[in-house]
Amino acid sequence: MSLYHLNYLDQLEAESIYILREVAGQFERPALLFSGGKDSIVLAHLAAKAFPHGKIPFTFVHVDTGHNFQEVLDFRDHLAAEMNVDLVVRKVEDTIHKRKLTEPKGKFPSRNWLQTFTLLDAIEEFEFDACIGGARRDEEKARAKERIFSVRDEFGQWDPKLQRPELWNIFNGKIHKGENVRVFPISNWTELDVWNYIRREHIDLPSIYFSHEREVVDLNGHWIANSEFAVLEENDRVITKRIRYRTVGDMTCTAAVESDAVTIDKVIEEITATRISERGETRIDDRVTEAAMEDRKKGGYF
């Protein structure tokens, strides 16, 4: 069937599967960055569709900050076992001790900035030449600058001014020794596309993506989970709210949104009505500076 006769979800799926097969064909040691979040779960589903007759040819890698939601970690382990993939977990805490890094301070001490060191160490340890990620261009303006095949130099750094052309969906994976490529197969998807695809494909997700009750603390108008990692002050008030998460990351910097959406259809209704991107509404670490995400990407963040 011609691509022009497919609906838009079929077209997005076909493009992503094509990209995943290009990765398998062009690289020797590819990895799929897998956090147990919705975008990486969709990537895992697409990888299974891309290679239906054998084992998925990517090592799954999770950089664990130590501040992750337990529901997501449990889902990560369950899905990896169900899919029979090789899962490598590397912990930021180990990197802090190994490299003698400074542990973040503050009320909600996020380790997100330190993930870069752990990821680069894992790339060097396993000699990965390609790392597949679930980033999308609609999430954040720095990510909109990325190509689908995005080259990192031998130090793991990204230069937004040195992007390769990708005319006619031709992806150039040629790299020098020590370099690696970050690949974004769902770069052309939106948050709404992801959720519509999840609904169509009946993909299971961690429960925190749907409305539930949780103890939260107000941080400048954002609801952050009350957890063992929070260093609360005397005037901080812990309250219980019905919330859900649009995106999943370090629980010390990922804000929840108030929601009664307990089904995929209700979540899609909420997303359709909002005019704020998921990271714009919920990722506190992106607000540190105007160019916070771009600075991290230049240093090696995915």
Side-chain angles (χ1 to χ4, degrees), residues 281-301:
E281 184 172 21
T282 64
R283 293 304 286 269
I284 308 303
D285 53 331
D286 288 350
R287 299 166 180 261
V288 176
T289 67
E290 183 69 19
M293 171 62 82
E294 184 160 333
D295 290 341
R296 278 183 288 160
K297 290 177 73 65
K298 287 179 179 178
Y301 188 73

Side-chain angles (χ1 to χ4, degrees), residues 36 211 263:
S211 179
T263 65

